[in-house]
Amino acid sequence: MDQPTFDFIVVGAGSAGSVLANRLSADPRHKVLVLEAGRESHFWSRIPVGFAKLIDNPKANWLYASEPEASTGQRRIPIPRGKLLGGSSSINGMVFVRGQAQDYDTWAQLGNRGWSWQDVLPVYKRMEAYDGGADELRGRTGPLRVTDTPRQKIPLLEKMIEAANKIGLPFNPDLNGETQEGIGMSQVTIAKGRRQSTAFCYLDPARGRRNLTVEPGALAETLILEGKRCIGVRYAASGEKREARAAREVIVCSGSINSPKLLELSGIGQGQRLRSHGIVPLHELNGVGENLRDHYSPRVKFAITERNATFNDNARGWRLAREALKYALWGEGFLATTSVPIRMYFRTRPGLETPDATISVLPFLYERVGHERRIAKRRGITMNVNVLRSESTGSVHVKSADPAEPPAIRFNFLSARADRDGLLAAIRKGRELMATSPLKELTGEEIAPGAHLTTDEEILDWVRNNAETTYHPVGTCKMGADPMAVVDHELRVHGLQGLRVADASIMPTLTSGNTNAPCIMIGEKCAEMVLAGAATPQRKVAA
Ligand SMILES: Cc1cc2nc3c(=O)[nH]c(=O)nc-3n(C[C@H](O)[C@H](O)[C@H](O)COP(=O)(O)OP(=O)(O)OC[C@H]3O[C@@H](n4cnc5c(N)ncnc54)[C@H](O)[C@@H]3O)c2cc1C
């Protein structure tokens, strides 16, 4: 069998993996292989509005779903994950959020040296080119273009800002600045009308390097262990089974659902569980697949009575044609914007040091038509309501030894009291906002949950039966030093050599907001640590 040898193998070219591919191959002495299960690209992955075309699209999406659970009213809720170069950064909502300083200080306090805010801030600054300018908190010259959503273009949002000010939420000109608190325009990974995925910002500029091999359509099936060292990857591509060897390291960047799955398929995980699926345990690690966290997110919806105040009016007929023209000519307009142009962060109770909840506002209503989500005819807005650092934890585990079978994903949402209380308070905050002038003058019916639902139990029951996530699964190969940790503070799998995990799965807790920027930071930091280690002599590998 053909077994080419590389220095590094990166499994998954997503938010974190593409960064590693670029940084590791920047030194021409390193031979780097990137295996990506998904395709090279998709037409809609370049155009911001393409988000709506990819969220349910099997050509670029793993389309996972959770197991039926009490916390989801026995529904299977959708878990979209990018399956193409750029991974989820090629299909996501493009909102750029770093989170709060305290998120990272918490990671450091959990024993993860090198991950405090002071440690990660320089990495964040280095990775971005923020069009708002550089200062002690922001960067201007990195590979990732970050832009401000223009404030003036959507009049409804001006009224929302005024109403928010009246209920104690000041306008915050930089939601990634000194403080997260307040209402502000989203910063986005969109520039010149184009999605700034990691495929575009990190992978494309490195594709010409002769020491970098990128293999789309290559599904890693198991890692190859020799004793307690990982020496390569078995994968399926073009209908064949193949193997590649890594002289130095394999870095698993397959995301929070697929990374624990790959570890388990390779015999790394809970011994009893693996044996029950006919997988021989080669390295027992009880934390693999545990600690799944996500932002459970009810969609609170209101009708809007004013014409042309929402995207619902722009998404059909001649107005849509006009928007398409604007996009074709100048890369501007509705097709070039995020679906979440504005959001607010707030505290749900007195005594909290920083915001614990957020509402992201979609200035439109959408509906499901079969498997697709479409902008609805009815005029209105949708609020995605989240507790920022949900404490409920679930799990991701294989259902069999078959790499093609999706894993069992259980969230166990709302099991933590803080999550229930936080969501209730945040939903009520959304109602308060819509009932405040000058927003209330154009607010119509509360479509969901509906004004008739008022008690905690009624609202929580509605949440259980209707909420989805905001697609931020993290934590299933968590970093730490406790018995349930999977990787150490340098992202090395505990007890094994030559194997790291670098993606959303290593986050011990959720960051306060969306997770793409933190994953890119994780990729950058991992590259730094790998390169520091690569200064040591290379291990010999048997061919
Ligand atoms: C619909 C959606 C909307 C979102 N909106 C936002 C947003 O607006 N802002 C934000 O900050 N975050 C958002 N997120 C979340 C964010 O995009 C993710 O947290 C982040 O991209 C995850 O990065 P990752 O590196 O962990 O994994 P991914 O980017 O998902 O990358 C994993 C890669 O590994 C590949 N892979 C998996 N298994 C294998 C295998 N066995 N062999 C080979 N390759 C494999 C996958 O195909 C994929 O390309 C959104 C996510 C989704 C899905």
Side-chain angles (χ1 to χ4, degrees), residues 10-18 35-39 51 54-55 60-62 64 79-97 189 195 198 215 217-222 233 235 253-259 261-262 265 338 340 343 403 470-474 502-505 507 513-520:
V10 176
V11 185
S15 296
S18 297
L35 298 174
E36 167 54 49
R39 58 202 278 159
F51 168 73
L54 295 174
I55 192 163
N61 193 324
W62 292 84
Y64 287 131
I79 307 171
R81 300 279 87 203
K83 190 177 182 185
L84 71 171
L85 295 181
S88 299
S89 80
S90 291
I91 70 162
N92 71 11
M94 296 156 289
V95 179
F96 179 88
V97 182
T189 44
R195 171 191 287 276
T198 55
E215 220 181 312
L219 175 76
E221 296 194 332
T222 55
V233 182
Y235 64 101
C253 305
S254 304
S256 287
I257 309 299
N258 284 322
S259 285
K261 179 183 164 196
L262 181 60
L265 289 172
T338 171
V340 189
R343 69 192 300 174
T470 32
Y471 323 122
H472 302 150
V474 307
D503 54 29
S505 72
M507 298 187 200
N514 313 53
T515 43
N516 185 42
C519 290
I520 297 172

Side-chain angles (χ1 to χ4, degrees), residues 12-151:
S15 296
S18 297
V19 177
L20 276 148
N22 180 313
R23 298 304 190 201
L24 298 183
S25 65
D27 182 337
R29 288 172 303 176
H30 298 148
K31 239 176 123 187
V32 180
L33 171 66
V34 179
L35 298 174
E36 167 54 49
R39 58 202 278 159
E40 175 86 30
S41 179
H42 193 286
F43 170 76
W44 287 112
S45 68
R46 295 170 206 129
I47 304 171
V49 80
F51 168 73
K53 299 278 183 193
L54 295 174
I55 192 163
D56 301 303
N57 189 331
K59 291 186 178 148
N61 193 324
W62 292 84
L63 293 183
Y64 287 131
S66 63
E67 297 296 306
E69 294 179 79
S71 68
T72 58
Q74 301 303 330
R75 292 170 302 139
R76 288 179 183 277
I77 60 169
I79 307 171
R81 300 279 87 203
K83 190 177 182 185
L84 71 171
L85 295 181
S88 299
S89 80
S90 291
I91 70 162
N92 71 11
M94 296 156 289
V95 179
F96 179 88
V97 182
R98 303 190 301 192
Q100 299 175 6
Q102 288 81 351
D103 300 335
Y104 303 95
D105 290 341
T106 302
W107 293 5
Q109 276 160 16
L110 291 170
N112 297 303
R113 209 167 55 247
W115 291 87
S116 72
W117 177 241
Q118 281 316 312
D119 294 313
V120 302
L121 176 59
V123 184
Y124 271 123
K125 287 177 69 178
R126 204 169 62 227
M127 77 192 206
E128 71 170 350
Y130 173 49
D131 71 352
D135 59 23
E136 70 280 7
L137 289 174
R138 305 303 303 262
R140 180 84 199 192
T141 55
L144 186 74
R145 289 286 307 275
V146 178
T147 59
D148 283 308
T149 304
R151 175 171 167 174

Side-chain angles (χ1 to χ4, degrees), residues 151 154-166 183 306 309 342 433 436-442:
R151 175 171 167 174
I154 314 165
L156 169 77
L157 302 187
E158 283 303 318
K159 295 192 173 155
M160 192 166 278
I161 292 168
E162 261 188 72
N165 294 166
K166 286 194 182 148
I183 183 163
E306 193 170 277
I342 195 165
L433 178 81
T436 303
S437 270
L439 204 50
K440 85 166 182 212
E441 286 75 7
L442 40 127

